[in-house]
Amino acid sequence: MPMSADESTGKSNVAVIGLGSMGFGMASSLLRCGHAVVGYDPSGTAAAKLAAIGARIAKSPGDAAANASVVLCVVVNSAQTDAVLFGGSGVCPVMVPGSVFISSATMAPSEAKRLSSRLAERDILYLDAPISGGAAKAASGALTIMASGSPDAFEHARHVLDAIAAKVYRLGGEPGIGASVKMINQHLAGIHIAAACEAMVLASKLGLDLFTVYEVITASAGNSWMFENRVPHILDGDYTPRSSVEIFVKDLGILEDIARAERYPAPLAAAALQMYLATSGAGMGREDDASVARTYAALSGASLPSAKPAT
Amino acid sequence: MPMSADESTGKSNVAVIGLGSMGFGMASSLLRCGHAVVGYDPSGTAAAKLAAIGARIAKSPGDAAANASVVLCVVVNSAQTDAVLFGGSGVCPVMVPGSVFISSATMAPSEAKRLSSRLAERDILYLDAPISGGAAKAASGALTIMASGSPDAFEHARHVLDAIAAKVYRLGGEPGIGASVKMINQHLAGIHIAAACEAMVLASKLGLDLFTVYEVITASAGNSWMFENRVPHILDGDYTPRSSVEIFVKDLGILEDIARAERYPAPLAAAALQMYLATSGAGMGREDDASVARTYAALSGASLPSAKPAT
């Protein structure tokens, strides 16, 4: 039976759908741990890179999932996840009862519940498992995973989670809880990036030395994980996308949808979302999310450090 | 000459004006380091406490400053600092040329410049030296100080700064730079507290376990210094003021004044300020700044942990 992990070896047949920087890193961590990996991505480049380190490459999500006991879906949002499951050549028709679908996309809790219900009709397990950490931690198998789902889903996914994560939070027995906690993280992260940009560009407007301000703030009560991580992009004048503006257009958009449905006022998230929208609207949607600083600069005439010349 | 530090011993006569939690802690750190301290506070309680650990207590700011080489002013804002300097029984008329006035209040950079100019007319040195750290660090002599002023002012204040701070940032030769950097810190800190409240109350509205959310977020990219520090107050249902709502009504108010004068849009700070205003307007101005969470709860019907019964 190829449909469940071989408990004697702890090795699984894993399909990884979506080979962006996160999915590729997770697939490479799985290979390193000895799992058999079949990858799928619409981009031939990412697929070829994964083939070069030992994975089999499939022609469709369904093809990838054909012999997998675990399908790990690392796409951008619930619409893409839905297409991977139920679209043409999707994975749902070929997954067998008792296998597990691990969903990593950030999405509304209601979407996680809907997808898991549809899979439950066919006795396919669903793990609501958003990730935090970034490409480097994905590549080293050191992600943080905020997961919820049935004990069976956790048990069946165990070896895969062990390979990709340094820390797995088991947040509850129902899909949707993982998605909710991830939304709370994105709520804060999205505000903190925009706040870092708002404050640093004001510092420039006030004539302060931005490198000194960075040093002082990172040692003071105004610090945040995002301030520490994103402000160096501003100091370097380097807006190469590590994580793009569009990610927070999406995630704070989902957040505001949830808040509106809950009749919950979230004015800080709403203000931050406007700044991501303005930055995307000005043509920087696919650039680094620290580009919000360039919007503040454009709106105020402040100057920012320019990129270092290539050497 | 009692007017300058005794360089052979490094001990100064220091007047500490304002004996709230910060000023009291700084005064006690000075005593511990062997400086002669004269304290002044309108509250007899704070003064009596300081007398009990070895300080002389004065009847007015001017009385306190009469033989001091250093005056350390730890009041709330520029208006109080102005009154300490130039009001009835103020310190300016009794300070001698070459002595130094260390100003710790958070204020607009323009105010720091104005006060220093007035003292310069009388050859009194001015150190623009806002503080960060909180009462515990004040008491242990481990504050962070964001200071600017002339080399003479730094030199003359050196032994006092050594006694009260773990870290002194020398930000430049002109008063106003310290005030500006402190405003950037407060800009971020004020947003981060409000964001922490907005996100945690939404988490409650979504039915999440708040203790688990705190554990996950503090290990994730959504973390901030303020999230980590203030959310425990929400989890404990304990709104005893460590730092009050009114502090951020004041500081984000100054920030928005500065931003308006600079023609700088600061929508996140503006949104956060509204939440502090609403919290103060609802009667919680003197309670802990984590009370902003109670405003979000009141506006959304979310529940929050209640205070533990006194034991």
Side-chain angles (χ1 to χ4, degrees), chain A residues 109 132-133 144 146 167 169-171 176-177 180-181 183-192 194-203 205-206 208 212-213 215-217 219-227 255-256 258-259 262-272 275 296-297 299-300 302, chain B residues 109 132-133 144 146 167 169-171 176-177 180-181 183-192 194-203 205-206 208 212-213 215-217 219-227 255-256 258-259 262-272 275 296-297 299-300 302:
Chain A
S132 175
T144 295
M146 308 170 186
K167 176 77 186 173
Y169 288 103
R170 289 185 66 147
L171 299 169
I177 302 172
S180 294
V181 172
M183 284 313 308
I184 298 300
N185 185 69
Q186 296 305 91
H187 185 168
L188 290 158
I191 291 169
H192 293 169
C197 295
E198 184 173 294
M200 288 303 286
V201 182
L202 178 57
K205 187 82 180 172
L206 295 176
L208 298 174
T212 304
V213 172
E215 185 192 346
V216 176
I217 295 295
S220 301
N223 196 26
S224 71
W225 193 100
M226 280 297 180
F227 184 93
L255 190 278
E256 288 291 332
I258 294 170
E262 294 283 345
R263 298 296 183 267
Y264 185 84
L268 272 73
M275 296 308 299
Y296 279 105
L299 291 173
S300 64
Chain B
S132 174
T144 295
M146 307 170 189
K167 176 77 187 171
Y169 288 102
R170 288 185 68 147
L171 299 169
I177 304 172
S180 295
V181 173
M183 284 315 308
I184 298 299
N185 186 69
Q186 296 306 91
H187 184 167
L188 290 158
I191 291 170
H192 293 168
C197 294
E198 184 173 295
M200 288 303 286
V201 182
L202 178 57
K205 188 81 180 175
L206 295 176
L208 299 175
T212 303
V213 172
E215 184 191 346
V216 176
I217 295 296
S220 301
N223 196 27
S224 71
W225 194 99
M226 281 297 181
F227 184 94
L255 190 280
E256 289 291 332
I258 293 170
E262 295 282 346
R263 299 296 182 266
Y264 185 85
L268 273 72
M275 296 308 299
Y296 279 104
L299 291 172
S300 65

Side-chain angles (χ1 to χ4, degrees), chain A residues 36-54:
Chain A
V37 173
V38 186
Y40 170 75
D41 195 277
S43 149
T45 319
K49 265 178 65 189
L50 193 66
I53 59 171

